[in-house]
């Protein structure tokens, strides 16, 4: 398998903007910080409840550019791309981790800005109709209507649908469908009609519990560093995702994991935060960046218990690993 000589990951969309965060040499991160925010010639980036990261993997004089997820709205994605100097037309692939609006929401705006047909890699099930039933009885009906493969094509995308890992070049891979083997990251409970939760309508018309089987992550194999793993929401479990990365790229060190860890949901057991932190330490993950849906408990616990590994996220953070 090919490896990247270096990779740069730029946080384009995230739940937080924090202009007071310092650069961190030990975690190879620089920030869009106080100087930029106070510069009258610049416009500050924006935050929203979504996630998007730009991956630039380089080998020799060649670079592949992958946009991983597209945030909740095209407005914020487009704004932050402009602020951070990202040219949408330079991006080679778009990967949508799963069919939830906080991950695909900016897809149509991005494709319009790209100005050409861009491959959009995702899972076959990502467009299936989804419902959310709240504890008080409210229902969000088919909240993913804006993400059908026909709409993606009409906006200028070329859907690439795969349950298997997909090679995007220079050590960049999608995970494909993620096996769920870690006990505490077990799948959702069996379907019970009328109970709160997320539901999906199958291709055959069956109403079922939405276990988000379309969830997939991104892997970058960096020479001399190890694996950099990105997650969208980690509905499949962040540790399951890391195990999947090792199964695909080989049993290599995990240099970093960035993304949503699915630990901030009210239905997620509180103990899962501690169990996840312990697993990160057991796997010797060097840099841990909980984002988006990871939740305040995760940040509080990991910033203390994984103080030498934890990095607080913020829009405009730029991580660089490997030899440039």
């Amino acid at each position: 398998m090919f490896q990247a000589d270096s990779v740069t990951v730029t946080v384009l969309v995230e739940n937080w903007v924090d202009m007071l965060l310092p650069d961190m040499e030990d975690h190879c991160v620089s920030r869009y910080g106080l100087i930029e925010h106070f510069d009258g010639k610049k416009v500050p980036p924006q935050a929203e409840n979504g996630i998007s990261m730009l991956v630039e993997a380089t080998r020799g004089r060649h670079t592949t550019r992958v946009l991983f997820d597209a945030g909740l709205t095209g407005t914020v994605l487009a704004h932050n791309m402009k602020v951070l100097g990202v040219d949408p037309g330079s991006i080679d692939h778009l990967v949508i981790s799963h069919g939830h609006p906080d991950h695909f929401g900016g897809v149509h705006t991005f494709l319009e800005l790209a100005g050409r047909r861009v491959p959009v890699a995702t899972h076959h099930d990502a467009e299936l109709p989804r419902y959310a039933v709240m504890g008080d009885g409210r229902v969000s009906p088919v909240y993913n209507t804006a993400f059908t493969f026909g709409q993606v094509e009409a906006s200028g995308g070329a859907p690439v649908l795969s349950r298997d890992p997909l090679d995007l070049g220079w050590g960049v891979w999608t995970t494909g469908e993620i096996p769920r083997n870690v006990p505490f990251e077990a799948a959702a409970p069996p379907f019970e009609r009328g109970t709160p939760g997320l539901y999906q309508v199958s291709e055959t018309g069956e109403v079922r519990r939405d276990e988000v089987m379309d969830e997939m992550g991104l892997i970058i194999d960096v020479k001399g560093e190890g694996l950099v793993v990105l997650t969208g929401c980690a509905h499949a479990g962040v540790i399951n995702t890391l195990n999947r990365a090792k199964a695909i790229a080989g049993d290599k060190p995990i240099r970093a994991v960035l993304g949503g860890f699915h630990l901030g949901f009210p239905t997620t057991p509180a103990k899962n935060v501690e169990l996840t932190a312990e697993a990160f330490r057991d796997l010797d993950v060097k840099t841990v960046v909980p984002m988006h849906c990871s939740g305040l408990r995760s940040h509080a616990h990991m910033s203390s218990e994984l103080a030498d590994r934890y990095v607080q996220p913020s829009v405009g953070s730029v991580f660089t690993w490997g030899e440039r």
Side-chain angles (χ1 to χ4, degrees), residues 174-195:
T174 66
T175 62
E177 200 168 287
I178 300 168
R180 304 180 180 200
N181 300 318
V182 175
F184 72 86
E185 292 182 335
F191 170 67
E192 292 183 27
R193 192 175 304 279
T195 58

Side-chain angles (χ1 to χ4, degrees), residues 141-227:
V142 194
Y143 57 81
N144 61 330
T145 54
F147 189 64
T148 68
F149 304 144
Q151 288 171 310
V152 169
E153 285 191 282
S155 293
V160 181
L161 311 178
S162 177
R163 289 183 171 86
D164 295 324
L166 188 64
D167 186 351
L168 303 182
W170 304 140
V172 183
W173 291 77
T174 66
T175 62
E177 200 168 287
I178 300 168
R180 304 180 180 200
N181 300 318
V182 175
F184 72 86
E185 292 182 335
F191 170 67
E192 292 183 27
R193 192 175 304 279
T195 58
L198 301 180
Y199 297 94
Q200 190 176 60
V201 180
S202 73
E203 290 178 295
T204 59
E206 176 191 7
V207 179
R208 63 192 183 190
R209 177 81 70 178
D210 184 4
E211 297 186 27
V212 199
M213 295 306 295
D214 52 315
E215 171 96 34
M216 59 185 182
L218 199 71
I219 310 160
I220 309 99
D221 188 354
V222 185
K223 184 178 179 181
E225 294 279 359
L227 307 181

Side-chain angles (χ1 to χ4, degrees), residues 14-19 21 32 37 44-47 80 313-315:
E14 160 58 9
N15 294 36
W16 291 358
V17 168
D18 190 336
M19 66 180 178
L21 295 177
Y32 192 96
H37 281 260
Q46 298 174 353
N80 288 348
S314 178
V315 175

